[in-house]
Amino acid sequence: NFYIRRMYTLDAAGNMIWKYGASGDGFSGEAPYLKQNTHALAEATSLAIDSNVYVGFRDGKVVRYYAGVEDTWTPAVIDPPLASVSAIWTHPDIDRIVLADRDGKRLIVLRKDGTLVSQIVSDDFKGPIALTGDEINKKLFVVDGNRVFQIDLP
């Protein structure tokens, strides 16, 4: 994931989020992003970044970090609760965070303040595993098995 000339990677096995600064035609060496972390990243599945870093976990939890420190952000209660977070997408220019719930066979759309905007379900979903978005045209692209769905961003 990229944000303002930096690349961020999730190292679940190493319990760290790494950042790399732009340098010439590539990126500099890794530097730890996390300064404080109360969640073991071994179960982390995905990462998205705007000015905050959002990390999704296999158990459905989403944690937000700012400047390497865990934030007190708490998303809205979702019914039924998130079963898993297989992917997260956001962009600095929109007020949305989108979560793919593979086990729940749906997408969850939140505002960045944690308010629930929408749950997107489809009989065609078998278990969304990846997603990205087009913030300009307000579209989501969702990978589910060997299919890619295009969905309007609510």
Side-chain angles (χ1 to χ4, degrees):
N1 288 320
F2 297 90
Y3 180 71
I4 305 181
R5 298 184 43 121
R6 290 193 178 94
M7 179 174 66
Y8 294 78
T9 61
L10 173 62
D11 178 2
N15 201 43
M16 181 54 64
I17 296 170
W18 299 100
K19 66 180 177 179
Y20 305 80
S23 175
D25 291 340
F27 290 92
S28 62
E30 65 188 19
Y33 168 75
L34 293 178
K35 297 174 185 168
Q36 169 267 332
N37 183 24
T38 59
H39 291 86
L41 297 178
E43 297 297 312
T45 58
S46 54
L47 170 126
I49 186 164
D50 54 18
S51 59
N52 298 289
V53 172
Y54 301 88
V55 178
F57 291 84
R58 282 188 183 91
D59 65 359
K61 179 181 286 257
V62 178
V63 178
R64 183 171 81 177
Y65 299 91
Y66 180 75
V69 177
E70 187 176 333
D71 199 355
T72 56
W73 180 78
T74 304
V77 174
I78 298 168
D79 186 25
L82 278 167
S84 64
V85 177
S86 54
I88 301 179
W89 177 79
T90 191
H91 189 277
D93 295 336
I94 62 165
D95 184 34
R96 298 288 189 267
I97 303 162
V98 184
L99 312 171
D101 180 1
R102 180 180 183 169
D103 297 338
K105 299 178 179 142
R106 62 188 170 161
L107 302 176
I108 303 295
V109 181
L110 302 168
R111 285 193 178 85
K112 289 186 179 174
D113 67 3
T115 306
L116 179 65
V117 173
S118 179
Q119 296 189 51
I120 300 170
V121 296
S122 169
D123 290 338
D124 292 328
F125 285 168
K126 305 301 179 223
I129 57 171
L131 67 100
T132 191
D134 174 350
E135 72 284 354
I136 294 169
N137 295 303
K138 299 192 179 343
K139 299 289 183 187
L140 295 171
F141 301 93
V142 182
V143 177
D144 186 315
N146 62 355
R147 299 176 72 185
V148 177
F149 297 93
Q150 177 182 303
I151 299 168
D152 291 335
L153 178 64

